[in-house]
Amino acid sequence: MRVLVAGGAGYIGSHTVLALLARGHDVVVADDFSNARPSVMDRLAELAGRPVALEEVDLTDEARTEEVVARSEPDAVIHFAGLKAVGESVREPLAYYRTNLDATFSLLTAMRTHDVRRLVFSSSATVYGDHAPVPYPESYEPLAAASPYGRTKVMIEQVLTDVGLADPDLRIALLRYFNPVGAHASGRLGEDPQGVPNNLVPYVAQVAVGRRDRLQIYGDDYDTPDGTCLRDYIHVEDLAEGHVAALEHLEAMATPVRAFNLGSGRGTSVRELFDAFCAAVGRPLEAEVVGRRPGDLPAYWADVTRAADELGWRATRGLEEMVADVWRWQSANPDGYPRERAGQHPDVTPA
Ligand code: WQD
């Protein structure tokens, strides 16, 4: 299939681009590099053995988005584009609602104009809110989220559900990610947060390379086996393969819209993860226990039966592999991606 990957230069998007190419799909990346480095495209070309087509575009611009869809003539769209920092979304809610919703509206409008009826959307386990039973089942309702970021995901799921009801020929997979971690096994692609990392694994990785002094563990007095929170960490390469499985399943879907959890199906504590990371690095790292972070839930993980039964997909990479791959990436790229691109490729479409 020919796939337009919106947000394809980002952390999960870039890994998915490689997984798509490995399965013989044809890819066009659409990204504005607002939260990704252009040099990701060099790394993708290097790993793919050929340049990857790029459309540099702000997807909230409806006219430009329409041109991109017209030019790239995709069979399907995978939509990763959006803002994703929970804390920032509380401070800048309007930016989150505007960016995440407008980008989706532009894509949906352009897809309708050009008769593209296959979509895979990046949703999040955050849509289960505070009350869903663990492990979280996709059938749980009502969806709710505790942050503006999370509410953009709930809203977009609702928009896509309504759009699917109005056009029964659409096929849309809503992929609810748990906690994506890990990096490409080559050490050439990984997570490169701008500023102080908000999430556990990139923070520990920066402690390991000396960019941060110590990890702060947010609370060890939860009602969990070691007192720290449990989360469902999933290797980004498993996640990328989950997108390919969902894309290839769209045609067989019995209903226009279907949600799938992408997780490992098991809970890992902050301490277990930290200890595994120290083991991968081969020396102890510093950590201190501080107070709970407001809004954190004690423990949740995914019910993975639907993805296994319907997509034929399940996560295969364990904790050791996740942290080893993060360490390989972070130690080889202590400051993340290069700021500049090595060079423009001849088939890259100019902005
Ligand atoms: C994991 C665990 C923290 C940092 C968030 C969003 C979610 C999704 C992924 C998507 C928790 C603990 C963390 C630190 C710590 N976002 N922790 N010290 O909160 O499960 O999920 O990111 O785009 O929507 O809510 O992930 O990595 O922040 O935290 O002790 O410095 O690590 O308390 O238990 P979270 P996280």
Side-chain angles (χ1 to χ4, degrees):
M1 260 185 271
R2 189 166 165 77
V3 188
L4 181 65
V5 184
Y11 171 47
I12 303 170
S14 58
H15 288 82
T16 301
V17 165
L18 279 187
L20 288 165
L21 293 170
R23 285 278 297 176
H25 296 291
D26 201 9
V27 171
V28 178
V29 168
D31 209 297
D32 67 353
F33 301 110
S34 55
N35 192 26
R37 297 263 185 234
S39 59
V40 170
M41 300 307 298
D42 296 328
R43 299 282 176 97
L44 286 175
E46 166 199 318
L47 292 164
R50 62 187 160 96
V52 176
L54 169 68
E55 291 276 2
E56 197 168 336
V57 59
D58 172 355
L59 294 165
T60 64
D61 183 332
E62 199 168 309
R64 288 276 292 115
T65 303
E66 195 274 327
E67 288 167 24
V68 165
V69 172
R71 240 191 326 264
S72 50
E73 299 185 317
D75 302 303
V77 174
I78 303 186
H79 175 24
F80 294 101
L83 302 175
K84 62 170 187 180
V86 175
E88 183 184 61
S89 79
V90 176
R91 296 188 299 276
E92 298 286 345
L94 194 53
Y96 272 68
Y97 288 115
R98 180 167 284 161
T99 303
N100 292 3
L101 290 162
D102 277 355
T104 305
F105 296 149
S106 299
L107 279 169
L108 287 172
T109 305
M111 287 171 66
R112 188 169 59 179
T113 304
H114 295 282
D115 211 17
V116 182
R117 288 200 160 85
R118 302 290 175 260
L119 176 67
V120 175
F121 173 65
S122 291
S123 189
S124 166
T126 193
V127 302
Y128 292 108
D130 296 349
H131 298 294
V134 177
Y136 290 167
E138 288 93 343
S139 56
Y140 178 79
E141 284 187 57
L143 298 182
S147 70
Y149 158 75
R151 282 190 278 277
T152 69
K153 297 296 181 188
V154 173
M155 287 177 183
I156 293 169
E157 285 207 11
Q158 187 63 62
V159 167
L160 295 175
T161 302
D162 288 341
V163 166
L165 282 173
D167 180 356
D169 292 334
L170 281 169
R171 288 294 178 272
I172 301 174
L174 310 172
L175 303 186
R176 296 176 179 164
Y177 313 152
F178 282 68
N179 287 54
V181 301
H184 193 260
S186 64
R188 301 292 284 165
L189 293 182
E191 190 169 10
D192 181 18
Q194 309 299 299
V196 182
N198 301 302
N199 299 114
L200 176 63
V201 169
Y203 201 100
V204 178
Q206 292 195 6
V207 172
V209 292
R211 282 172 68 180
R212 314 272 160 208
D213 290 340
R214 66 182 65 83
L215 173 69
Q216 296 195 318
I217 295 177
Y218 297 141
D220 67 351
D221 58 350
Y222 286 95
D223 184 14
T224 59
D226 66 17
T228 66
C229 295
L230 303 180
R231 291 289 181 276
D232 182 334
Y233 297 96
I234 172 163
H235 196 297
V236 66
E237 289 206 66
D238 279 327
L239 196 57
E241 289 164 6
H243 286 75
V244 178
L247 179 80
E248 293 176 354
H249 172 71
L250 288 174
E251 224 44 63
M253 258 165 48
T255 54
V257 182
R258 189 102 169 126
F260 298 95
N261 286 337
L262 297 186
S264 70
R266 65 183 206 97
T268 299
S269 77
V270 174
R271 254 197 210 292
E272 281 177 281
L273 193 138
F274 179 71
D275 291 345
F277 208 102
C278 294
V281 174
R283 63 188 156 83
L285 302 172
E286 266 198 66
E288 62 174 338
V289 177
V290 297
R292 293 181 177 193
R293 182 171 67 177
D296 273 343
L297 294 173
Y300 63 82
W301 54 92
D303 179 335
V304 294
T305 36
R306 183 183 287 183
D309 291 350
E310 297 180 23
L311 303 181
W313 170 91
R314 61 168 58 248
T316 60
R317 297 162 177 90
L319 183 61
E320 237 175 82
E321 192 169 348
M322 296 182 209
V323 293
D325 287 340
V326 173
W327 177 233
R328 187 179 306 108
W329 150 256
Q330 193 72 55
S331 49
N333 305 269
D335 298 315
Y337 288 105
R339 275 162 203 276
E340 302 301 329
R341 284 195 71 174
Q344 293 289 321
H345 295 290
D347 75 337
V348 168
T349 315

